[in-house]
Amino acid sequence: MSTIPNDPMILLSYINTKLRDNYDSLSALCDDLELNDDDIISKLASIDYAYNSELNRFV
């Protein structure tokens, strides 16, 4: 996860923007950017955000 923001709040904005603009799912984003989706989910859960697949964003 060295190529993405480390701060959870900045990561939230970064991931949600990428999901909105470029990807139809978290899996697609993680596959394309070679990220571990469990790491993203865990990091954002630490600030009480969870991925909503219907909205395709962390809420």
Side-chain angles (χ1 to χ4, degrees), residues 40-57:
I40 302 288
I41 290 168
S42 175
K43 185 92 164 186
L44 295 179
S46 74
I47 57 169
D48 297 323
Y49 280 82
Y51 180 66
N52 181 313
S53 59
E54 290 179 14
L55 299 175
N56 190 35
R57 66 181 194 156

PDB file of all heavy atoms in Angstrom, residues 40-57:
ATOM      1  N   ILE A  40      -7.393  -2.409   2.626  1.00  0.00           N
ATOM      2  CA  ILE A  40      -8.185  -1.192   2.432  1.00  0.00           C
ATOM      3  C   ILE A  40      -9.400  -1.218   3.365  1.00  0.00           C
ATOM      4  O   ILE A  40      -9.681  -0.240   4.071  1.00  0.00           O
ATOM      5  CB  ILE A  40      -8.661  -1.059   0.967  1.00  0.00           C
ATOM      6  CG1 ILE A  40      -7.479  -1.052   0.002  1.00  0.00           C
ATOM      7  CG2 ILE A  40      -9.562   0.154   0.781  1.00  0.00           C
ATOM      8  CD1 ILE A  40      -6.645   0.169  -0.006  1.00  0.00           C
ATOM      9  N   ILE A  41     -10.109  -2.329   3.368  1.00  0.00           N
ATOM     10  CA  ILE A  41     -11.310  -2.470   4.202  1.00  0.00           C
ATOM     11  C   ILE A  41     -10.952  -2.291   5.670  1.00  0.00           C
ATOM     12  O   ILE A  41     -11.645  -1.576   6.403  1.00  0.00           O
ATOM     13  CB  ILE A  41     -11.988  -3.831   3.937  1.00  0.00           C
ATOM     14  CG1 ILE A  41     -12.602  -3.829   2.538  1.00  0.00           C
ATOM     15  CG2 ILE A  41     -13.032  -4.141   4.998  1.00  0.00           C
ATOM     16  CD1 ILE A  41     -13.040  -5.196   2.038  1.00  0.00           C
ATOM     17  N   SER A  42      -9.879  -2.898   6.117  1.00  0.00           N
ATOM     18  CA  SER A  42      -9.452  -2.805   7.508  1.00  0.00           C
ATOM     19  C   SER A  42      -9.057  -1.375   7.883  1.00  0.00           C
ATOM     20  O   SER A  42      -9.449  -0.872   8.942  1.00  0.00           O
ATOM     21  CB  SER A  42      -8.279  -3.756   7.742  1.00  0.00           C
ATOM     22  OG  SER A  42      -7.764  -3.614   9.023  1.00  0.00           O
ATOM     23  N   LYS A  43      -8.295  -0.736   7.024  1.00  0.00           N
ATOM     24  CA  LYS A  43      -7.843   0.633   7.301  1.00  0.00           C
ATOM     25  C   LYS A  43      -9.031   1.583   7.412  1.00  0.00           C
ATOM     26  O   LYS A  43      -9.078   2.427   8.304  1.00  0.00           O
ATOM     27  CB  LYS A  43      -6.890   1.084   6.189  1.00  0.00           C
ATOM     28  CG  LYS A  43      -6.261   2.417   6.396  1.00  0.00           C
ATOM     29  CD  LYS A  43      -4.946   2.238   7.089  1.00  0.00           C
ATOM     30  CE  LYS A  43      -4.134   3.495   6.957  1.00  0.00           C
ATOM     31  NZ  LYS A  43      -2.811   3.336   7.471  1.00  0.00           N
ATOM     32  N   LEU A  44      -9.999   1.438   6.522  1.00  0.00           N
ATOM     33  CA  LEU A  44     -11.153   2.333   6.548  1.00  0.00           C
ATOM     34  C   LEU A  44     -12.146   1.948   7.649  1.00  0.00           C
ATOM     35  O   LEU A  44     -12.864   2.805   8.158  1.00  0.00           O
ATOM     36  CB  LEU A  44     -11.807   2.404   5.179  1.00  0.00           C
ATOM     37  CG  LEU A  44     -10.894   3.044   4.109  1.00  0.00           C
ATOM     38  CD1 LEU A  44     -11.580   3.067   2.755  1.00  0.00           C
ATOM     39  CD2 LEU A  44     -10.454   4.436   4.509  1.00  0.00           C
ATOM     40  N   ALA A  45     -12.148   0.699   8.042  1.00  0.00           N
ATOM     41  CA  ALA A  45     -12.978   0.288   9.182  1.00  0.00           C
ATOM     42  C   ALA A  45     -12.476   0.939  10.469  1.00  0.00           C
ATOM     43  O   ALA A  45     -13.265   1.198  11.386  1.00  0.00           O
ATOM     44  CB  ALA A  45     -12.978  -1.231   9.319  1.00  0.00           C
ATOM     45  N   SER A  46     -11.189   1.248  10.518  1.00  0.00           N
ATOM     46  CA  SER A  46     -10.626   1.889  11.710  1.00  0.00           C
ATOM     47  C   SER A  46     -11.200   3.294  11.934  1.00  0.00           C
ATOM     48  O   SER A  46     -11.107   3.830  13.034  1.00  0.00           O
ATOM     49  CB  SER A  46      -9.100   1.950  11.627  1.00  0.00           C
ATOM     50  OG  SER A  46      -8.665   2.936  10.700  1.00  0.00           O
ATOM     51  N   ILE A  47     -11.797   3.881  10.895  1.00  0.00           N
ATOM     52  CA  ILE A  47     -12.467   5.179  11.047  1.00  0.00           C
ATOM     53  C   ILE A  47     -13.976   5.031  10.800  1.00  0.00           C
ATOM     54  O   ILE A  47     -14.658   5.971  10.412  1.00  0.00           O
ATOM     55  CB  ILE A  47     -11.850   6.269  10.136  1.00  0.00           C
ATOM     56  CG1 ILE A  47     -11.873   5.859   8.661  1.00  0.00           C
ATOM     57  CG2 ILE A  47     -10.438   6.622  10.604  1.00  0.00           C
ATOM     58  CD1 ILE A  47     -11.520   6.982   7.702  1.00  0.00           C
ATOM     59  N   ASP A  48     -14.457   3.806  11.010  1.00  0.00           N
ATOM     60  CA  ASP A  48     -15.889   3.484  10.957  1.00  0.00           C
ATOM     61  C   ASP A  48     -16.525   3.629   9.576  1.00  0.00           C
ATOM     62  O   ASP A  48     -17.680   4.044   9.459  1.00  0.00           O
ATOM     63  CB  ASP A  48     -16.678   4.302  11.991  1.00  0.00           C
ATOM     64  CG  ASP A  48     -16.265   3.981  13.410  1.00  0.00           C
ATOM     65  OD1 ASP A  48     -15.976   2.799  13.673  1.00  0.00           O
ATOM     66  OD2 ASP A  48     -16.211   4.901  14.240  1.00  0.00           O
ATOM     67  N   TYR A  49     -15.784   3.279   8.539  1.00  0.00           N
ATOM     68  CA  TYR A  49     -16.340   3.253   7.185  1.00  0.00           C
ATOM     69  C   TYR A  49     -16.321   1.822   6.680  1.00  0.00           C
ATOM     70  O   TYR A  49     -15.381   1.073   6.952  1.00  0.00           O
ATOM     71  CB  TYR A  49     -15.538   4.147   6.233  1.00  0.00           C
ATOM     72  CG  TYR A  49     -15.889   5.601   6.371  1.00  0.00           C
ATOM     73  CD1 TYR A  49     -15.332   6.383   7.377  1.00  0.00           C
ATOM     74  CD2 TYR A  49     -16.808   6.201   5.514  1.00  0.00           C
ATOM     75  CE1 TYR A  49     -15.670   7.714   7.525  1.00  0.00           C
ATOM     76  CE2 TYR A  49     -17.147   7.538   5.653  1.00  0.00           C
ATOM     77  CZ  TYR A  49     -16.576   8.282   6.652  1.00  0.00           C
ATOM     78  OH  TYR A  49     -16.922   9.600   6.802  1.00  0.00           O
ATOM     79  N   ALA A  50     -17.366   1.463   5.944  1.00  0.00           N
ATOM     80  CA  ALA A  50     -17.472   0.119   5.366  1.00  0.00           C
ATOM     81  C   ALA A  50     -17.849   0.254   3.897  1.00  0.00           C
ATOM     82  O   ALA A  50     -18.553   1.192   3.505  1.00  0.00           O
ATOM     83  CB  ALA A  50     -18.523  -0.696   6.105  1.00  0.00           C
ATOM     84  N   TYR A  51     -17.403  -0.703   3.107  1.00  0.00           N
ATOM     85  CA  TYR A  51     -17.709  -0.680   1.675  1.00  0.00           C
ATOM     86  C   TYR A  51     -19.156  -1.093   1.441  1.00  0.00           C
ATOM     87  O   TYR A  51     -19.612  -2.110   1.952  1.00  0.00           O
ATOM     88  CB  TYR A  51     -16.766  -1.608   0.914  1.00  0.00           C
ATOM     89  CG  TYR A  51     -17.025  -1.624  -0.569  1.00  0.00           C
ATOM     90  CD1 TYR A  51     -16.794  -0.492  -1.338  1.00  0.00           C
ATOM     91  CD2 TYR A  51     -17.501  -2.762  -1.197  1.00  0.00           C
ATOM     92  CE1 TYR A  51     -17.028  -0.490  -2.694  1.00  0.00           C
ATOM     93  CE2 TYR A  51     -17.736  -2.776  -2.559  1.00  0.00           C
ATOM     94  CZ  TYR A  51     -17.497  -1.636  -3.304  1.00  0.00           C
ATOM     95  OH  TYR A  51     -17.734  -1.646  -4.661  1.00  0.00           O
ATOM     96  N   ASN A  52     -19.872  -0.296   0.674  1.00  0.00           N
ATOM     97  CA  ASN A  52     -21.242  -0.599   0.276  1.00  0.00           C
ATOM     98  C   ASN A  52     -21.211  -0.898  -1.218  1.00  0.00           C
ATOM     99  O   ASN A  52     -20.986   0.014  -2.023  1.00  0.00           O
ATOM    100  CB  ASN A  52     -22.155   0.590   0.582  1.00  0.00           C
ATOM    101  CG  ASN A  52     -23.591   0.329   0.210  1.00  0.00           C
ATOM    102  OD1 ASN A  52     -23.897  -0.145  -0.871  1.00  0.00           O
ATOM    103  ND2 ASN A  52     -24.495   0.664   1.115  1.00  0.00           N
ATOM    104  N   SER A  53     -21.404  -2.156  -1.592  1.00  0.00           N
ATOM    105  CA  SER A  53     -21.292  -2.553  -2.997  1.00  0.00           C
ATOM    106  C   SER A  53     -22.405  -1.975  -3.858  1.00  0.00           C
ATOM    107  O   SER A  53     -22.209  -1.739  -5.050  1.00  0.00           O
ATOM    108  CB  SER A  53     -21.241  -4.073  -3.130  1.00  0.00           C
ATOM    109  OG  SER A  53     -22.411  -4.648  -2.583  1.00  0.00           O
ATOM    110  N   GLU A  54     -23.582  -1.745  -3.274  1.00  0.00           N
ATOM    111  CA  GLU A  54     -24.675  -1.162  -4.042  1.00  0.00           C
ATOM    112  C   GLU A  54     -24.377   0.294  -4.428  1.00  0.00           C
ATOM    113  O   GLU A  54     -24.714   0.726  -5.531  1.00  0.00           O
ATOM    114  CB  GLU A  54     -25.987  -1.232  -3.259  1.00  0.00           C
ATOM    115  CG  GLU A  54     -26.528  -2.630  -3.116  1.00  0.00           C
ATOM    116  CD  GLU A  54     -27.815  -2.686  -2.330  1.00  0.00           C
ATOM    117  OE1 GLU A  54     -28.436  -1.633  -2.110  1.00  0.00           O
ATOM    118  OE2 GLU A  54     -28.202  -3.799  -1.933  1.00  0.00           O
ATOM    119  N   LEU A  55     -23.750   1.014  -3.537  1.00  0.00           N
ATOM    120  CA  LEU A  55     -23.371   2.399  -3.811  1.00  0.00           C
ATOM    121  C   LEU A  55     -21.983   2.519  -4.429  1.00  0.00           C
ATOM    122  O   LEU A  55     -21.613   3.568  -4.946  1.00  0.00           O
ATOM    123  CB  LEU A  55     -23.401   3.235  -2.517  1.00  0.00           C
ATOM    124  CG  LEU A  55     -24.736   3.349  -1.809  1.00  0.00           C
ATOM    125  CD1 LEU A  55     -24.575   4.094  -0.482  1.00  0.00           C
ATOM    126  CD2 LEU A  55     -25.751   4.051  -2.697  1.00  0.00           C
ATOM    127  N   ASN A  56     -21.226   1.424  -4.365  1.00  0.00           N
ATOM    128  CA  ASN A  56     -19.848   1.366  -4.841  1.00  0.00           C
ATOM    129  C   ASN A  56     -18.994   2.464  -4.207  1.00  0.00           C
ATOM    130  O   ASN A  56     -18.296   3.219  -4.880  1.00  0.00           O
ATOM    131  CB  ASN A  56     -19.759   1.442  -6.365  1.00  0.00           C
ATOM    132  CG  ASN A  56     -18.358   1.137  -6.866  1.00  0.00           C
ATOM    133  OD1 ASN A  56     -17.656   0.308  -6.300  1.00  0.00           O
ATOM    134  ND2 ASN A  56     -17.937   1.829  -7.909  1.00  0.00           N
ATOM    135  N   ARG A  57     -19.080   2.544  -2.887  1.00  0.00           N
ATOM    136  CA  ARG A  57     -18.257   3.490  -2.144  1.00  0.00           C
ATOM    137  C   ARG A  57     -18.236   3.114  -0.674  1.00  0.00           C
ATOM    138  O   ARG A  57     -19.051   2.311  -0.211  1.00  0.00           O
ATOM    139  CB  ARG A  57     -18.743   4.918  -2.318  1.00  0.00           C
ATOM    140  CG  ARG A  57     -20.100   5.185  -1.721  1.00  0.00           C
ATOM    141  CD  ARG A  57     -20.511   6.608  -1.969  1.00  0.00           C
ATOM    142  NE  ARG A  57     -21.647   6.930  -1.118  1.00  0.00           N
ATOM    143  CZ  ARG A  57     -21.980   8.134  -0.734  1.00  0.00           C
ATOM    144  NH1 ARG A  57     -21.266   9.159  -1.140  1.00  0.00           N
ATOM    145  NH2 ARG A  57     -22.997   8.346   0.032  1.00  0.00           N
TER     146      ARG A  57
END
